[in-house]
Amino acid sequence: MRNIKVVCLVLIMGTSSYVARAGTLYLDPMFGVQKTSNLVYGQGLVDNGNALLDLKLDIYQPTDIGVAVPESRPTIMWIHGGGWEGGTKRSVNQEEEWVPRGYNVISIEYRLLGDNPPLTTGPADDFAFLGLVGPPGITSTVNASLEDGALALDWLYANADTYGIDTNRIGVAGISAGAVNALVLGHLVQLENVDIKAVISVSGALFNFTNPFTAGGPPTMLITGEKDNTVPPELVELTRDLMNEVGIENEFYLQPNTGHLPNWDVVIDGQTLSQHGVNFLYENLAIVPEASSIELLATGLLLFSSACAVRRVVVQRS
């Protein structure tokens, strides 16, 4: 009888500690971060079609620092900015916020103007604003970069088991040129294997002479700076208005006294922009009907500890 009491007490104490440390998966930081660099996700033609370039990505994954990491996790593909002329996959935002909460973050490189990709047709052929933002050849380069983004999403699908990627919970995010690509991949491109569930656009806009958006597109978070002279906030507001016309769910955040680069610490409507991003991903990418593995384990241990308490009473009465 004494042994039963001791075992049950240990289980109850252990369960309480586990639940306290776990917090809410995908809302509270509870994991470490590990990075795997320079994984080749495909190849793209460069030098006007005379050479092939290995296209690489970095993946940031949560690690166990006291709480078991879910085997299959929502994943955000990040696309860097740079006007399709520069930038690097190292310029990833918010991985230090998203990964500790349980997400994978994958940051890709893609072909740029200096790579001289061959003439490539695609969605950018209809972008009304590209002639205003880039030199000759930019339209073909944007189309090539969109091909690369779709190829990276195919890689996520093909390598889901290896890297713990839930292919039913994939989002795309980016800044500036990368934000435009994220909007296009999320809303305009028909992807073969992946259904994008959420889009985050930082300092990016997408519009045309006719509305490029259609009903049923993924929820989208639009972020702009009040003093952005590269992509004026009026263009991001236009993007929001076009989404509203067709009923696409969106969140719009105008950062006061901010230029083209985001200030994730700015407080808007009582929360930092960073926290708004966490909430947006939780509501639109992370939540699934089934309980998470952490919740199930914690619940199971609580039930078992309750059974121990009942057993103790029975033993004492006999």
Side-chain angles (χ1 to χ4, degrees), residues 21-210:
R21 281 169 30 212
T24 301
L25 185 61
Y26 307 124
L27 269 182
D28 298 318
M30 61 183 74
F31 305 111
V33 179
Q34 68 176 10
K35 177 183 178 183
T36 305
S37 301
N38 296 321
L39 297 170
V40 176
Y41 70 83
Q43 292 181 313
L45 288 169
V46 295
D47 191 20
N48 200 28
N50 294 311
L52 279 172
L53 175 69
D54 283 343
L55 302 168
K56 299 176 182 178
L57 58 80
D58 298 337
I59 180 167
Y60 301 80
Q61 296 172 275
T63 60
D64 185 341
I65 55 173
V67 175
V69 177
E71 291 185 4
S72 185
R73 304 173 292 277
T75 299
I76 304 129
M77 185 175 82
W78 177 266
I79 310 173
H80 70 78
W84 297 282
E85 295 185 80
T88 168
K89 59 183 171 61
R90 294 189 300 274
S91 301
V92 58
N93 282 195
Q94 292 300 95
E95 79 283 0
E96 75 282 358
E97 294 292 334
W98 299 339
V99 179
R101 289 170 165 83
Y103 298 90
N104 300 313
V105 173
I106 291 173
S107 184
I108 68 168
E109 63 182 23
Y110 52 89
R111 284 173 290 174
L112 302 172
L113 189 68
D115 295 317
N116 193 22
L119 181 64
T120 305
T121 60
D125 296 346
D126 297 324
F127 290 0
F129 59 91
L130 279 179
L132 304 176
V133 300
I138 191 68
T139 298
S140 187
T141 300
V142 175
N143 285 328
S145 71
L146 290 168
E147 286 185 357
D148 298 343
L151 191 62
L153 290 168
D154 284 340
W155 183 93
L156 299 189
Y157 185 87
N159 292 274
D161 291 341
T162 302
Y163 294 101
I165 297 166
D166 185 342
T167 56
N168 293 313
R169 293 187 288 172
I170 291 180
V172 289
I175 183 170
S176 193
V180 175
N181 281 24
L183 288 166
V184 175
L185 290 169
H187 290 279
L188 272 64
V189 175
Q190 296 296 317
L191 301 167
E192 183 175 350
N193 295 316
V194 176
D195 181 20
I196 301 299
K197 296 296 175 65
V199 177
I200 295 181
S201 168
V202 183
S203 304
L206 181 60
F207 57 91
N208 206 338
F209 298 114
T210 58

Side-chain angles (χ1 to χ4, degrees), residues 265-289:
D265 294 325
V266 68
V267 176
I268 302 174
D269 296 331
Q271 290 185 321
T272 64
L273 182 62
S274 180
Q275 186 61 50
H276 282 299
V278 168
N279 295 341
F280 173 82
L281 290 175
Y282 181 73
E283 294 170 2
N284 296 293
L285 188 64
I287 295 178
V288 291

Side-chain angles (χ1 to χ4, degrees), residues 211-227:
N211 193 333
F213 300 103
T214 56
T220 300
M221 183 178 184
L222 298 165
I223 299 168
T224 185
E226 182 183 38
K227 297 182 178 180

